[in-house]
């Protein structure tokens, strides 16, 4: 039997009883739907918290921390969460997506993915210099050529005194 350091991803029943493992929705906070009915705000958020979030949270907790920022490891869990929220919205005849749902996902990102940043040494690669120079000079040259042609045409159209 191997030992597990804290945070390695194993979830026990006792973890689910700890208050820190639950997402609490604020009634007047960012989940308030400006133009939605109370039914779609309150009931919908209760349902997605109960049916969607708990499943997502349990799956994230059993995923090792080092794998939580790897899309190939978390995409199925995240897609299941998104699909669940869509099904709950459909079942309750609520709009999907909605401002309340956006706030719900923002909170999930803040709680689960805040440490998922790009590694310090990685940067997006720069494009090759040749195509960049070509894309910059062609419009400039065309503009100069068209200006010269228009000026030449305008001179020919002028009456001679």
């Amino acid at each position: 039997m191997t030992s597990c350091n804290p945070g390695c991803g194993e979830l026990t029943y006792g973890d689910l009883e700890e208050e820190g493992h639950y997402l609490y929705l604020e009634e007047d906070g960012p989940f308030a739907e400006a133009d939605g009915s109370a039914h779609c705000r309150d009931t919908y958020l209760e349902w997605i918290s109960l049916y969607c979030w708990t499943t997502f949270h349990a799956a994230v907790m059993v995923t090792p921390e080092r794998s939580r920022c790897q899309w190939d490891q978390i995409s199925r869990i995240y897609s299941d969460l998104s699909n669940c929220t869509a099904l709950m919205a459909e079942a309750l005849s609520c709009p999907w997506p909605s401002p309340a749902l956006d706030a719900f996902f923002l909170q999930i990102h803040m709680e689960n993915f805040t440490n998922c940043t790009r590694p310090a040494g990685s940067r997006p690669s720069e494009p090759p210099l040749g195509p960049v120079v070509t894309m910059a000079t062609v419009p400039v040259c065309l503009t100069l050529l068209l200006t010269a042609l228009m000026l030449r045409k305008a001179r020919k159209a002028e009456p001679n005194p």
Side-chain angles (χ1 to χ4, degrees):
M1 182 173 186
T2 61
S3 66
C4 181
N5 296 330
C8 74
E10 290 187 20
L11 183 67
T12 65
Y13 181 76
D15 291 334
L16 293 175
E17 291 178 339
E18 291 179 26
E19 191 170 318
H21 286 327
Y22 290 93
L23 181 69
Y24 292 100
L25 302 175
E26 302 169 17
E27 290 182 22
D28 298 325
F31 294 103
E33 189 114 8
D35 58 348
S37 69
H39 166 75
C40 283
R41 182 187 63 239
D42 300 335
T43 306
Y44 176 60
L45 289 172
E46 286 175 16
W47 281 28
I48 63 174
S49 296
L50 181 63
Y51 299 112
C52 305
W53 180 83
T54 52
T55 305
F56 171 80
H57 184 70
V60 167
M61 290 295 105
V62 297
T63 302
E65 261 188 68
R66 65 186 174 278
S67 299
R68 292 180 191 167
C69 294
Q70 297 173 4
W71 183 244
D72 61 331
Q73 299 292 315
I74 205 78
S75 64
R76 182 191 56 78
I77 299 167
Y78 194 85
S79 293
D80 289 348
L81 173 66
S82 181
N83 292 335
C84 181
T85 63
L87 289 171
M88 293 297 138
E90 185 178 339
L92 292 168
S93 299
C94 294
W96 189 92
S98 68
L101 184 64
D102 292 344
F104 176 79
F105 272 97
L106 284 173
Q107 188 166 348
I108 285 176
H109 279 252
M110 289 187 322
E111 291 180 6
N112 296 286
F113 306 115
T114 54
N115 295 327
C116 296
T117 57
R118 195 183 304 247
S122 71
R123 294 184 351 175
S125 63
E126 293 184 15
L129 187 58
V132 171
V133 170
T134 302
M135 289 175 20
T137 56
V138 167
V140 171
C141 292
L142 283 175
T143 302
L144 292 173
L145 178 65
L146 289 174
T147 303
L149 289 174
M150 292 299 288
L151 288 173
R152 184 174 178 203
K153 187 176 181 181
R155 282 189 191 156
K156 285 185 180 180
E158 287 180 4
N160 288 335

